[in-house]
Amino acid sequence: MRTRVAPSPTGDPHVGTAYMSLFNLAFTRQQGGQFVLRIEDTDRARFREDSEQQLYDTLGWLGLWWDEGPDVGGPFAPYRQSERLETYRPYVERLIESGHAYYCWCSKERLAKMRMVQEKTKQPTGYDRLCHGKTREERAALPGFTETPVVRMLVPDDVELSFDDVIRGKVSAPRPDDQVILKADGFPTYHLAVVVDDHEMGITHVVRGEEWISSTPKHILLYRWLGLKPPEWAHMPLLRNPDKSKISKRKNPAARLTWFREQGYVPEALVNFLALLAYPPQQDADGHDVEVFTFDEFSKSFDWGKVNPVGPIFDLKKLEWLNGVCIRSLDAGELASRLLPYLEEAGVLSGNPSLGELGRLEAVTALIQTRMALLTEAPALVGPFFVADDQLEIQPDARAQLRDDTPRVLDEAIRVLGDIDDHDKGLLGMDSGWNAAAIEAALRGALVSGLGMKPRVAFGPLRTAISGARVSPPLFESMQILGKTSTLNRLRMLRDSL
Ligand code: GLU
């Protein structure tokens, strides 16, 4: 059992490539087969150099690893179509010799004009077979001739238009045109290359987007003419924009796979989300829906019969929710290491943080883990823990909230916190030494019991002094992490600025 994903390197990888890879892979891993990454780079006009590397990076980031591919090699190498050009030639020769394909010398201008006339007179569009049955000399005598021919399929009138699909059952497609299979530049078109490569690479199941349904009868014809066994077909529903149009990089930034990492999504959430787009939730032992699941859980119970053939709409709200769930389920150390690139990007930490900084980051991460839906929210929450006290900026909206009694609140806080022993005695939950419990007890005693203030009113200015913002990670734990010196510095600085 072998599957493949066959993206064309035409720019930023499309989210559809991850979606196809996921469904291919869920099935392949379940069946113990191999999953191949093949680069379909025969469209030289749309080729983009860096796009292949981005593909490896993004699919790898998602953990959707391939067993064979241009980068890892494999028994059917090369896995880039541009490096397989000699492979296709003999197949084309066979098709020409058996009369199933023919040379076509029609110029672009002639083809464009033919199409225009067909459209104007409301005839079906398609090649009119002017070149079929003619030698080069015979054709050269007629107008609209070019020197470099293409090769076309001779699609018979009785072409089989329906086929079996593992998701959709019997599927019908419209009648194809005399498709070009070899271009004037000597490159095969997608249709020929995909059939030859899927055959040569032993692909047993072709899982791809529903936009290819109309091409499948041509592919089946090629298999038949060449005497090859066709694979099973699974045409996945297309991802759609909220207006139901096909999701495109032009219209929707979320069509770019790199976008998700930029936005702060974790790969587990995106994989879970992509699975849910076309697949029902898992069921727990009591038959309840479980929307949060891992790739392994998905793969284990995977069943083509459950794939919903109706084009799913991208609902980013759902993804954001899943992202929060996944973030909360990570171990704090793991989450901290995932935050590093975002913190570096935002200038909060250098690319090479010290052990002390990493320790502090892990402590802060545990505090903010439940307060984040996206990893990109981390720099604002983490930043205050990594600036020098005199560099902390008090945000205008936080300052605007301070009241007339703020100086008294700060004075009291400075007084009682000053009395706490500088070192945490390490007695868990005991309010002795510089720890969150002791800090909380001191502040509540002084401000809530002592001054009779409401906690929210009393702690607001302290929060602002510590983080510079109106909202911050939990206050007492934040003070513990900052340490006594820094905490008092910050309280005094705000006090002095009033
Ligand atoms: N190169 C095609 C694409 O970019 C592959 C389609 C297929 O899987 O057959 O979508």
Side-chain angles (χ1 to χ4, degrees):
M1 201 248 120
R2 289 171 57 82
T3 58
R4 72 349 179 240
V5 70
S8 300
T10 55
D12 253 6
H14 194 280
V15 66
T17 301
Y19 165 71
M20 290 314 152
S21 302
L22 171 62
F23 279 78
N24 262 300
L25 205 54
F27 178 57
T28 310
R29 291 290 172 257
Q30 178 192 63
Q31 301 286 315
Q34 291 97 43
F35 175 55
V36 175
L37 172 58
R38 185 173 67 226
I39 299 292
E40 301 210 325
D41 56 351
T42 56
D43 186 347
R44 299 319 276 177
R46 294 175 60 218
F47 176 78
R48 286 254 315 275
E49 189 77 58
D50 50 354
S51 127
E52 199 179 300
Q53 188 57 45
Q54 283 183 336
L55 204 67
Y56 302 150
D57 291 346
T58 44
L59 290 182
W61 172 68
L62 287 166
L64 302 173
W65 293 107
W66 46 103
D67 303 302
E68 299 166 27
D71 57 336
V72 291
F76 301 95
Y79 292 92
R80 248 179 233 112
Q81 286 185 331
S82 61
E83 295 168 9
R84 301 174 60 78
L85 297 181
E86 317 83 86
T87 310
Y88 309 112
R89 254 291 161 195
Y91 288 91
V92 178
E93 304 297 344
R94 263 161 73 189
L95 290 168
I96 293 174
E97 270 158 34
S98 59
H100 292 304
Y102 60 96
Y103 285 107
C104 170
W105 294 269
C106 287
S107 65
K108 277 199 186 61
E109 295 71 31
R110 174 174 192 275
L111 294 173
K113 203 157 142 207
M114 177 193 74
R115 197 183 174 88
M116 215 179 68
V117 172
Q118 287 170 337
E119 278 167 2
K120 268 218 181 100
T121 55
K122 305 235 164 13
Q123 293 169 57
T125 54
Y127 182 57
D128 62 1
R129 294 190 174 161
L130 177 65
C131 296
H132 179 236
K134 295 194 173 60
T135 62
R136 189 189 164 282
E137 287 65 38
E138 288 166 349
R139 178 59 183 87
L142 302 172
F145 173 87
T146 52
E147 277 305 329
T148 43
V150 299
V151 175
R152 289 181 182 275
M153 293 170 69
L154 182 65
V155 175
D157 289 340
D158 63 350
V159 52
E160 178 62 53
L161 296 176
S162 65
F163 61 92
D164 285 318
D165 183 283
V166 298
I167 298 172
R168 296 156 195 272
K170 248 231 173 337
V171 175
S172 310
R175 193 186 183 286
D177 184 14
D178 276 5
Q179 181 68 53
V180 174
I181 53 175
L182 195 72
K183 291 183 270 187
D185 62 6
F187 275 67
T189 59
Y190 157 71
H191 302 284
L192 178 75
V194 78
V195 165
V196 170
D197 285 342
D198 283 342
H199 162 68
E200 294 233 340
M201 296 182 180
I203 302 302
T204 57
H205 294 73
V206 165
V207 180
R208 60 183 172 193
E210 74 181 297
E211 73 265 41
W212 300 107
I213 286 178
S214 60
S215 300
T216 305
K218 294 179 240 185
H219 301 173
I220 293 174
L221 265 182
L222 290 171
Y223 278 101
R224 197 172 79 208
W225 290 341
L226 293 165
L228 310 173
K229 183 176 180 302
E232 304 272 342
W233 310 99
H235 288 93
M236 291 289 297
L238 270 188
L239 305 179
R240 296 185 185 279
N241 290 307
D243 70 356
K244 303 261 165 83
S245 58
K246 173 180 165 184
I247 202 160
S248 71
K249 291 191 265 184
R250 217 165 18 82
K251 276 202 195 161
N252 192 334
R256 285 189 304 115
L257 211 39
T258 47
W259 181 84
F260 295 92
R261 185 152 45 166
E262 289 160 15
Q263 294 299 304
Y265 291 101
V266 295
E268 293 90 336
L270 182 54
V271 164
N272 195 155
F273 173 70
L274 292 174
L276 281 176
L277 282 175
Y279 205 82
Q282 307 278 302
Q283 304 276 310
D284 67 13
D286 304 324
H288 296 124
D289 283 357
V290 179
E291 289 195 300
V292 181
F293 47 82
T294 63
F295 172 81
D296 287 339
E297 289 160 344
F298 177 53
S299 173
K300 232 177 236 139
S301 60
F302 186 77
D303 174 4
W304 285 116
K306 285 195 185 163
V307 174
N308 181 356
V310 180
I313 289 175
F314 235 64
D315 172 14
L316 290 174
K317 280 263 156 310
K318 178 64 140 278
L319 174 58
E320 198 162 303
W321 171 75
L322 283 167
N323 207 53
V325 172
C326 290
I327 285 176
R328 288 193 288 282
S329 74
L330 291 173
D331 162 77
E334 168 66 21
L335 178 56
S337 71
R338 296 207 199 182
L339 294 181
L340 283 174
Y342 298 90
L343 297 173
E344 188 189 345
E345 165 96 33
V348 171
L349 277 172
S350 77
N352 190 13
S354 68
L355 274 179
E357 286 174 321
L358 288 177
R360 173 170 281 206
L361 175 60
E362 196 172 323
V364 175
T365 301
L367 287 190
I368 62 173
Q369 188 157 13
T370 56
R371 299 175 176 238
M372 267 187 302
L374 296 169
L375 300 183
T376 41
E377 292 163 24
L381 294 166
V382 171
F385 292 90
F386 291 93
V387 291
D389 299 330
D390 58 1
Q391 299 293 308
L392 182 73
E393 278 177 39
I394 307 291
Q395 288 165 19
D397 66 329
R399 192 179 284 281
Q401 278 231 319
L402 299 176
R403 313 185 327 169
D404 293 344
D405 57 3
T406 298
R408 199 150 69 101
V409 171
L410 291 169
D411 285 339
E412 266 303 279
I414 291 164
R415 186 180 65 75
V416 293
L417 293 180
D419 288 341
I420 300 180
D421 192 342
D422 198 359
H423 294 287
D424 183 0
K425 297 283 190 292
L427 302 170
L428 267 178
M430 298 292 236
D431 44 2
S432 104
W434 187 260
N435 65 40
I439 294 166
E440 177 167 8
L443 292 175
R444 281 192 192 281
L447 303 175
V448 182
S449 316
L451 298 183
M453 300 180 79
K454 290 207 170 65
R456 201 176 49 84
V457 179
F459 300 143
L462 306 184
R463 203 178 281 289
T464 298
I466 294 302
S467 68
R470 277 171 56 189
V471 286
S472 76
L475 179 62
F476 314 119
E477 285 82 355
S478 297
M479 288 179 163
Q480 174 178 346
I481 293 171
L482 277 174
K484 180 170 173 179
T485 310
S486 234
T487 300
L488 289 177
N489 279 348
R490 291 182 184 200
L491 294 174
R492 284 196 195 103
M493 283 189 42
L494 183 60
R495 174 68 183 92
D496 293 348
S497 76
L498 296 173

